[in-house]
Amino acid sequence: MALGEFALIDRYFRACGARRADVVAGVGDDAALLTVPEATELVAATDTLVAGVHFPHGSPPASIGHRALAVNLSDLAAMGARPAWALLALTMPQAQESWLAEFAAGFGELARAHEVQLVGGDTTRGPLCITVQLLGFVPRGTALKRSGGHPGDSLFVSGTPGDAAAGLALQEARMSAPSALHAYLRGRFEMPSPRVALGERLREFASACIDVSDGLLADAAKLAHASGTGVEIHYQALPVSAALEQAAGAERAREFALTGGDDYELCFAVAEKNLAAFMQELPSQRWDYHRIGVLRKAPGAAVLRDGSVMQFSHCGYQHFG
Ligand code: ADP
Ligand code: MG
């Protein structure tokens, strides 16, 4: 490595992200020392991005840094947690300064936006692989879980799922689109906006929550399963961006919305008794979410279109009569 391990850590990771008063010792000692606020529970998540698996080889380094943190922010958002501290285990084939500067800038900008401080990590040589651990907290006993839903709860999703999967398809030349659409959709894959503020507010209203990383249908099914319910999603109610619809057409856009991945939106359930307060306190235009279906007693996940059930495989769907 052109730059030594310690010089590299010092230059790019010692002061990365926000500066927080609750960090007693951050990067530089053997471990980080952190003050956990009274009456809270610590919320911890970790996610790994492997080059060629979770992002294409040669992706912009700022995007890799951003996404490595974003996927973890999204997990904390799904718990209703406020993020605070991150650790970064970075394995890379060589220490290239321009790459590191852009990676740290992408990571640091998103970290600052969410008041997250990078407090430690590990740096090793090997095939490019990034693991971030994110810590945060919730007032004791208030975290959102996947398992709190009941039959009859309305199901919502934030944002416009499907964009990121289409962006990746464009990037990998599995699809084509005019350049303005291409840029927008690619941006949705490369720079996702995890719904941290929404997650925190949902603690007051939602019965269950999950972040959408594997595809809306699969993740809604996981929420339902954890809640001991099934789920019905209404095809006509799926929010789809104009860009995705223009790029992919109406049908394929909805297929992306249901089965694409990497959205980092929130899918959540709200009980009937909380619906009015929820929609009044968190207006959908401002908080950018849509009602897409309902939890039901019968197990499994069904997508309903004009009264009939659509059957999906992981690569697409077929109608059932
Ligand atoms: P040790 O060998 O004692 O574990 P390291 O050389 O691994 O120490 O790390 C020195 C310090 O730098 C530690 O505080 C560690 O948390 C931090 N650190 C190492 N790599 C990173 C990284 N990629 N990002 C942030 N902090 C890092
Ligand atoms: Mg170490």
Side-chain angles (χ1 to χ4, degrees):
M1 295 193 179
L3 196 62
E5 180 187 331
F6 300 108
L8 173 169
I9 293 166
D10 210 52
R11 187 167 308 168
Y12 297 108
F13 300 124
R14 183 175 295 280
C16 187
R19 278 182 70 91
R20 296 180 59 96
D22 53 16
V23 177
V24 181
V27 173
D29 216 311
D30 286 311
L33 271 180
L34 309 163
T35 311
V36 182
E38 293 282 336
T40 63
E41 282 161 341
L42 190 64
V43 184
T46 190
D47 250 320
T48 294
L49 301 186
V50 178
V53 178
H54 299 97
F55 58 88
H57 289 288
S59 288
S63 161
I64 300 171
H66 177 103
R67 291 185 75 246
L69 181 58
V71 299
N72 285 284
L73 285 167
S74 184
D75 280 328
L76 259 64
M79 305 297 291
R82 171 167 299 185
W85 312 296
L87 295 112
L88 166 66
L90 176 60
T91 303
M92 57 194 166
Q94 75 255 338
Q96 203 192 319
E97 291 221 45
S98 59
W99 191 95
L100 275 163
E102 284 174 48
F103 173 88
F107 186 102
E109 192 172 321
L110 185 63
R112 279 191 302 279
H114 291 283
E115 290 175 64
V116 168
Q117 181 170 340
L118 182 61
V119 297
D122 199 21
T123 305
T124 53
R125 188 198 289 264
L128 183 60
C129 175
I130 304 101
T131 297
V132 170
Q133 183 181 33
L134 187 64
L135 304 167
F137 28 82
V138 286
R140 203 168 284 158
T142 67
L144 294 170
K145 297 191 190 123
R146 296 178 178 184
S147 56
H150 294 283
D153 291 359
S154 290
L155 191 75
F156 295 85
V157 71
S158 66
T160 51
D163 291 352
L168 181 60
L170 288 165
Q171 192 169 340
E172 295 183 328
R174 285 180 278 117
M175 197 175 127
S176 63
S179 65
L181 301 178
H182 189 122
Y184 168 80
L185 293 169
R186 216 175 131 161
R188 297 273 291 154
F189 175 79
E190 290 182 344
M191 294 287 178
S193 305
R195 303 286 180 167
V196 177
L198 177 61
E200 278 202 74
R201 291 303 310 274
L202 285 176
R203 291 204 310 265
E204 288 168 65
F205 303 105
S207 56
C209 188
I210 189 170
D211 80 313
V212 182
S213 52
D214 294 340
L216 177 58
L217 184 55
D219 289 322
K222 283 185 214 159
L223 181 152
H225 183 77
S227 292
T229 70
V231 59
E232 260 171 40
I233 292 177
H234 302 135
Y235 185 85
Q236 262 81 12
L238 289 169
V240 165
S241 73
L244 178 57
E245 194 158 311
Q246 280 175 51
E251 294 287 317
R252 191 139 177 252
R254 280 158 184 82
E255 191 182 338
F256 271 120
L258 283 163
T259 63
D262 298 309
D263 298 304
Y264 304 108
E265 297 293 347
L266 295 180
C267 176
F268 53 96
V270 178
E272 186 73 41
K273 67 173 170 42
N274 290 335
L275 265 186
F278 165 60
M279 308 229 274
Q280 188 175 343
E281 294 284 314
L282 305 185
S284 61
Q285 306 90 312
R286 158 127 193 265
W287 290 87
D288 188 20
Y289 62 80
H290 289 85
R291 185 180 182 280
I292 55 165
V294 65
L295 298 185
R296 63 175 195 194
K297 276 210 185 80
V303 180
L304 298 185
R305 181 181 194 178
D306 302 325
S308 53
V309 177
M310 302 168 82
Q311 191 72 14
F312 285 78
S313 67
H314 64 277
C315 51
Y317 61 84
Q318 309 146 19
H319 287 279
F320 257 170

